[in-house]
Amino acid sequence: MKLMKLEIVTPNGVIFDDEIKQVTLPGSEGEFGVLADHATLVSLLDTGVIVIETSDSKEISVAVDSGYVKVEEEKTLCVVDGAVALSGDDSDLAEKIAEAKELLDKAQTSSTAIIAAKSKVDSISKNF
């Protein structure tokens, strides 16, 4: 499977920058997936969870506040107000999940989007 570059940037710096297989994004009109060679687009991102499939087929989730995404054939750039990476490899996963829930609670978006995102974060915590 062809890889593409994904970069997730916040005002505090880069959260993620690597080659990936695919990414699922919380678009303002609903979730959508992006693979390499995707058509170019710019979209608003809603509060939610970005799900990344890495080049070695591991899954990483990143809780995000609102922002936007620019998709190009070889690169996807997400610029968000806030983000918390959730990974099962970290010993402090419980702390990161609590931090993600706090980020989602502070989001200024619809309550439906916040509830859906928190549900995803809860399901991630149950898997580890």
Side-chain angles (χ1 to χ4, degrees):
M1 176 179 259
K2 188 172 179 183
L3 300 178
M4 69 174 178
K5 178 107 167 154
L6 173 66
E7 190 173 357
I8 302 173
V9 180
T10 71
N12 297 324
V14 177
I15 296 295
F16 186 91
D17 185 7
D18 204 357
E19 297 283 319
I20 64 164
K21 289 184 178 179
Q22 68 179 3
V23 61
T24 303
L25 301 160
S28 61
E29 300 295 320
E31 282 189 347
F32 64 97
V34 177
L35 298 166
D37 295 329
H38 194 287
T40 300
L41 69 89
V42 175
S43 176
L44 292 173
L45 293 176
D46 206 353
T47 299
V49 177
I50 296 174
V51 180
I52 304 162
E53 183 181 348
T54 63
S55 58
D56 57 355
S57 298
K58 291 184 181 177
E59 190 174 281
I60 297 173
S61 298
V62 180
V64 297
D65 199 342
S66 60
Y68 80 90
V69 61
K70 180 180 180 186
V71 176
E72 298 173 335
E73 289 183 17
E74 303 295 323
K75 180 180 179 180
T76 299
L77 170 66
C78 299
V79 178
V80 295
D81 293 332
V84 177
L86 306 170
S87 173
D89 298 337
D90 296 330
S91 59
D92 58 347
L93 181 61
E95 181 180 315
K96 286 188 174 190
I97 287 173
E99 189 179 334
K101 286 181 180 181
E102 184 179 329
L103 172 75
L104 296 173
D105 281 336
K106 290 180 183 176
Q108 296 184 3
T109 188
S110 73
S111 59
T112 306
I114 293 170
I115 291 168
K118 286 176 79 173
S119 174
K120 262 192 179 176
V121 169
D122 283 338
S123 70
I124 291 166
S125 67
K126 290 176 185 172
N127 290 332
F128 293 102

